[in-house]
Amino acid sequence: MPAGDSAHPAEEPVRTAREPRWPFWVTAAQSAWLLMFFATASVASYWLTFELLPQLSRGVGLVPALLLAPLLAVAGLLLYVPISLGFAVLTKRLLIGRYQSVRAPVWGSFYLRHWIVHQTVRMVPWRKLEGTVFQQSALRALGARIGKRVHIQRGVNLLRGGWDLLDIGDDVTLNHSAALQLVELVDGDIVIAPVTLGAGVTLGIRASVGGGSNIEEGAFITALSSVSNNAHVPSFECWDGIPARLIGKSPGSIPPTGPVASPVTHAVMMSAARIMVALVLVLPLELLTIAVCVAQGFSAADMWAWLYQPLVSGSTLAIGSAIVVVSVPLTLVFEMTLMRLLGRISTGTISRWSPAYIRFWLKADLVASAGRWLSGTIFWPYRLRGAGMKVGDGCEISTIIDVIPEHLDIGAQSFFADGIYLGGPAIHRGVVTLANTRIGANTFLGNHAVIPTGQHLPDRILLGVCSVADDNLMRPGSSWFGLPPRELPRREIVAVDRRLTHEPSWIPYLNRVLWELLRFALPIIPPLVLVVWARLLSSMEAPGLFFFTRNRAYGEFCRCMFSVHFCFCIEVGFARARSARTACVVVVLVESLGFFVCRVGSICGTGVIKP
């Protein structure tokens, strides 16, 4: 049945009365909300930096405080999660109430209220809740109807709003980066529409379901497929393609092996395991810092005295930079050691709610964490070999997703572009299937290609962008693209000197090594910002400079300004581009206001204007 043809068509979103569009006023309201949020964040960071941490370190000593810091961070996270979620739920109830099927103009009243709710919900640390029933409980608090034993994999974004229109049945599986289009922007309007997933439905990797769609019990949507808006997928059918169409019956489920825990018990076990891994991975930075503090005789009083009046010598700066830089490769070594300690994960079928699945999740997380530093570099294949993957010589590998290293064998001279879903487990109705995957030599995989678990691809394959591999079709030396994959005409082969590609001379090779080593120096930037900003604030507080220099309120104001500036310099340095741009704009606005106040004080202090 073609997508969109339905025996029971979903209700079209109701178009509201045309609200006027106020781009200027809506933007002003958004800016005011951001300023209020960042001001609150600056006050909280000031209190943490200049009140709580000094009292703690002075009470127990510097070294014990450093050792306790990760545990306190965990305790703070456990406290912050319910507070942030409660604030998000309250904001939604006050501004939206319950989401309804609606179509409203962008830059209107509804759009502004929805935007504020969306920004508030993003304050919840969802990344820490992924893969647990705690994530589902949080979504239920926002209005979603979610059944039992539901699996929501990493990369599934359910934070765009419309939760009251989301209905997910028991034993549903949302694989990596699956998308439910509850909220869309269409022709200058924001459209909110319901999505219903019946019991036992499975959405493959990067599969999407349009707004107004109803996917009935046991249906299966294959990887990269897209179900059109207002479509109806009958029970136990398998749909594939863009737009998705019927190709057969939904695959059956295989009984898992091994022990099975309740979802709540499993969530507690997974959360505890992830906390333990995080505590282990912070040890390199923590131990290096403690060693330097002990060797230099640095006390808590010295640290806080420096923060208020920073004096930086060349040796101090060199030592601090060395700690930050060396901690990165040490952390990567710790990650590889942890992966080895987690042991080899056997192929076969396991329950999504088994302890073995926790080991898979942790290993995939560790691979992704190392990839943030090493993907695309010449060091990445060596790191993957150290984790247990078989990688041939001369491979270029960028970002790989949901990877268990010991299950992969990659042939020599292969090139993987960004965002490859490489041999990740197949998850369907609570059963996880793991199998060995082999990629032949001289293989090219385009961005967001999907290699299902258990595939054995021959040599010299080209698989295009957003295509799914099928080893039943592919033969050596062929090229494929699309969904389902279609063979491309034989491409022209252009001979190129291998010294310019696969076999460079030692000069360009060493040049690449040098530039790729420099990425380990990136963490120096936030500490340098801290030093420069603290020095600037210290000079601004020089006696007699401002009329309220000796006023404690001014000192607190400057330190609050320092806190928000430092936090968002980190945001600008490491966040996604859109968040970084927002942070840049807001920091400039906040600093402009702050320095305007400081300038007025300077004029008053010099007698030009009498207070």
PDB file of all heavy atoms in Angstrom, residues 323-334:
ATOM      1  N   ILE A 323      49.112  19.652  32.296  1.00  0.00           N
ATOM      2  CA  ILE A 323      48.118  18.793  32.945  1.00  0.00           C
ATOM      3  C   ILE A 323      46.923  18.568  32.020  1.00  0.00           C
ATOM      4  O   ILE A 323      46.463  17.436  31.830  1.00  0.00           O
ATOM      5  CB  ILE A 323      47.648  19.424  34.273  1.00  0.00           C
ATOM      6  CG1 ILE A 323      48.777  19.407  35.306  1.00  0.00           C
ATOM      7  CG2 ILE A 323      46.420  18.694  34.816  1.00  0.00           C
ATOM      8  CD1 ILE A 323      48.429  20.137  36.583  1.00  0.00           C
ATOM      9  N   VAL A 324      46.436  19.648  31.431  1.00  0.00           N
ATOM     10  CA  VAL A 324      45.251  19.545  30.585  1.00  0.00           C
ATOM     11  C   VAL A 324      45.541  18.718  29.336  1.00  0.00           C
ATOM     12  O   VAL A 324      44.746  17.863  28.936  1.00  0.00           O
ATOM     13  CB  VAL A 324      44.757  20.961  30.205  1.00  0.00           C
ATOM     14  CG1 VAL A 324      43.631  20.873  29.199  1.00  0.00           C
ATOM     15  CG2 VAL A 324      44.298  21.706  31.443  1.00  0.00           C
ATOM     16  N   VAL A 325      46.696  18.959  28.701  1.00  0.00           N
ATOM     17  CA  VAL A 325      47.019  18.274  27.458  1.00  0.00           C
ATOM     18  C   VAL A 325      47.290  16.786  27.697  1.00  0.00           C
ATOM     19  O   VAL A 325      46.775  15.925  26.983  1.00  0.00           O
ATOM     20  CB  VAL A 325      48.223  18.945  26.774  1.00  0.00           C
ATOM     21  CG1 VAL A 325      48.687  18.121  25.580  1.00  0.00           C
ATOM     22  CG2 VAL A 325      47.859  20.352  26.325  1.00  0.00           C
ATOM     23  N   VAL A 326      48.082  16.476  28.714  1.00  0.00           N
ATOM     24  CA  VAL A 326      48.453  15.079  28.959  1.00  0.00           C
ATOM     25  C   VAL A 326      47.243  14.262  29.402  1.00  0.00           C
ATOM     26  O   VAL A 326      47.166  13.060  29.137  1.00  0.00           O
ATOM     27  CB  VAL A 326      49.570  15.009  30.017  1.00  0.00           C
ATOM     28  CG1 VAL A 326      49.862  13.564  30.430  1.00  0.00           C
ATOM     29  CG2 VAL A 326      50.848  15.645  29.481  1.00  0.00           C
ATOM     30  N   SER A 327      46.271  14.897  30.047  1.00  0.00           N
ATOM     31  CA  SER A 327      45.118  14.144  30.538  1.00  0.00           C
ATOM     32  C   SER A 327      44.292  13.549  29.398  1.00  0.00           C
ATOM     33  O   SER A 327      43.639  12.526  29.584  1.00  0.00           O
ATOM     34  CB  SER A 327      44.225  15.046  31.402  1.00  0.00           C
ATOM     35  OG  SER A 327      43.631  16.069  30.631  1.00  0.00           O
ATOM     36  N   VAL A 328      44.328  14.162  28.205  1.00  0.00           N
ATOM     37  CA  VAL A 328      43.523  13.652  27.093  1.00  0.00           C
ATOM     38  C   VAL A 328      44.014  12.284  26.627  1.00  0.00           C
ATOM     39  O   VAL A 328      43.238  11.322  26.605  1.00  0.00           O
ATOM     40  CB  VAL A 328      43.488  14.658  25.931  1.00  0.00           C
ATOM     41  CG1 VAL A 328      42.768  14.058  24.731  1.00  0.00           C
ATOM     42  CG2 VAL A 328      42.800  15.940  26.369  1.00  0.00           C
ATOM     43  N   PRO A 329      45.301  12.116  26.237  1.00  0.00           N
ATOM     44  CA  PRO A 329      45.728  10.769  25.838  1.00  0.00           C
ATOM     45  C   PRO A 329      45.656   9.757  26.973  1.00  0.00           C
ATOM     46  O   PRO A 329      45.380   8.572  26.735  1.00  0.00           O
ATOM     47  CB  PRO A 329      47.171  10.976  25.358  1.00  0.00           C
ATOM     48  CG  PRO A 329      47.597  12.286  25.905  1.00  0.00           C
ATOM     49  CD  PRO A 329      46.370  13.107  26.031  1.00  0.00           C
ATOM     50  N   LEU A 330      45.866  10.211  28.215  1.00  0.00           N
ATOM     51  CA  LEU A 330      45.736   9.282  29.338  1.00  0.00           C
ATOM     52  C   LEU A 330      44.293   8.790  29.477  1.00  0.00           C
ATOM     53  O   LEU A 330      44.055   7.617  29.767  1.00  0.00           O
ATOM     54  CB  LEU A 330      46.188   9.956  30.636  1.00  0.00           C
ATOM     55  CG  LEU A 330      47.689  10.001  30.897  1.00  0.00           C
ATOM     56  CD1 LEU A 330      47.973  10.684  32.230  1.00  0.00           C
ATOM     57  CD2 LEU A 330      48.298   8.605  30.889  1.00  0.00           C
ATOM     58  N   THR A 331      43.350   9.689  29.264  1.00  0.00           N
ATOM     59  CA  THR A 331      41.946   9.276  29.314  1.00  0.00           C
ATOM     60  C   THR A 331      41.635   8.267  28.220  1.00  0.00           C
ATOM     61  O   THR A 331      40.901   7.294  28.433  1.00  0.00           O
ATOM     62  CB  THR A 331      41.033  10.500  29.180  1.00  0.00           C
ATOM     63  OG1 THR A 331      41.311  11.424  30.244  1.00  0.00           O
ATOM     64  CG2 THR A 331      39.565  10.103  29.246  1.00  0.00           C
ATOM     65  N   LEU A 332      42.200   8.472  27.027  1.00  0.00           N
ATOM     66  CA  LEU A 332      41.997   7.509  25.932  1.00  0.00           C
ATOM     67  C   LEU A 332      42.573   6.143  26.290  1.00  0.00           C
ATOM     68  O   LEU A 332      41.987   5.112  25.961  1.00  0.00           O
ATOM     69  CB  LEU A 332      42.650   8.039  24.659  1.00  0.00           C
ATOM     70  CG  LEU A 332      42.009   9.298  24.063  1.00  0.00           C
ATOM     71  CD1 LEU A 332      42.843   9.827  22.897  1.00  0.00           C
ATOM     72  CD2 LEU A 332      40.593   9.016  23.600  1.00  0.00           C
ATOM     73  N   VAL A 333      43.707   6.135  26.986  1.00  0.00           N
ATOM     74  CA  VAL A 333      44.289   4.861  27.432  1.00  0.00           C
ATOM     75  C   VAL A 333      43.377   4.194  28.457  1.00  0.00           C
ATOM     76  O   VAL A 333      43.144   2.977  28.414  1.00  0.00           O
ATOM     77  CB  VAL A 333      45.694   5.090  28.016  1.00  0.00           C
ATOM     78  CG1 VAL A 333      46.224   3.807  28.671  1.00  0.00           C
ATOM     79  CG2 VAL A 333      46.656   5.554  26.933  1.00  0.00           C
ATOM     80  N   PHE A 334      42.842   4.986  29.373  1.00  0.00           N
ATOM     81  CA  PHE A 334      41.903   4.447  30.365  1.00  0.00           C
ATOM     82  C   PHE A 334      40.677   3.857  29.673  1.00  0.00           C
ATOM     83  O   PHE A 334      40.173   2.801  30.055  1.00  0.00           O
ATOM     84  CB  PHE A 334      41.482   5.542  31.350  1.00  0.00           C
ATOM     85  CG  PHE A 334      42.380   5.667  32.543  1.00  0.00           C
ATOM     86  CD1 PHE A 334      43.739   5.854  32.387  1.00  0.00           C
ATOM     87  CD2 PHE A 334      41.866   5.603  33.824  1.00  0.00           C
ATOM     88  CE1 PHE A 334      44.581   5.965  33.488  1.00  0.00           C
ATOM     89  CE2 PHE A 334      42.687   5.716  34.932  1.00  0.00           C
ATOM     90  CZ  PHE A 334      44.052   5.905  34.756  1.00  0.00           C
TER      91      PHE A 334
END
